[in-house]
Amino acid sequence: MEMPQSIPAERTPTFSALTPHYFEKILLFLREIIREEDKTIRVTLLEDLQQLHPFVTAPEYTLRACIWPALRAQTLYRTISGFMNYAKAIKLRYRRVGSLELLVSYGRNVECLERDLEWMAQQKFKFVVSIPRCSKFNREEPEKVEFLLRAYPDLQTA
């Protein structure tokens, strides 16, 4: 059986996703990771996650120390991170499978190519997070949402 011919990247269907955010954690801050939840239990969340994922070493930097467990726990950051890989895949597909003539036309103009790849990804993929309880956030949650928006500038919130 012969492999069917793939369609050009420009003609692939668009994809939009809407994820509601209710009460799951957005991102884990360092003080949440190393805090002891219960005085009778002497294992922190970070130690617990390291036991579950023994081949991953503990992160060295504060930001990485927050992201590492957030990608392994049930967090909004993990969901967004996974969905935003779709935009990376679109860029990669456009670069690798896109029209050879189109890619050759960019020559050594890498900035123009990257700008067009970004535009293509924005046209083909949208990700929106609905945050209905935004008005009821505690004082830390807006800071976490701001971090998400800086990490993923194409992310939209409603």
Side-chain angles (χ1 to χ4, degrees), residues 56-139:
V56 180
T57 59
E60 298 173 13
Y61 305 105
T62 305
L63 182 59
R64 292 175 89 181
C66 295
I67 292 173
W68 182 78
L71 289 172
R72 285 152 184 83
Q74 188 65 36
T75 61
L76 183 62
Y77 183 87
R78 178 180 174 183
T79 303
I80 291 170
S81 176
F83 267 105
M84 295 311 273
N85 283 332
Y86 192 78
K88 291 178 187 176
I90 291 170
K91 292 178 201 176
L92 182 63
R93 184 171 190 281
Y94 189 62
R95 182 180 298 224
R96 300 285 184 224
V97 186
S99 165
L100 183 59
E101 300 83 32
L102 181 66
L103 294 177
V104 169
S105 70
Y106 285 100
R108 296 190 187 276
N109 193 346
V110 177
E111 286 180 23
C112 188
L113 173 62
E114 290 301 321
R115 186 180 61 243
D116 286 355
L117 289 173
E118 189 67 35
W119 179 85
M120 175 64 72
Q122 289 172 353
Q123 297 304 307
K124 296 292 180 182
F125 173 68
K126 300 277 188 237
F127 187 62
V128 181
V129 177
S130 169
I131 309 176
R133 58 176 282 277
C134 188
S135 63
K136 296 179 178 119
F137 274 175
N138 64 31
R139 61 184 175 86

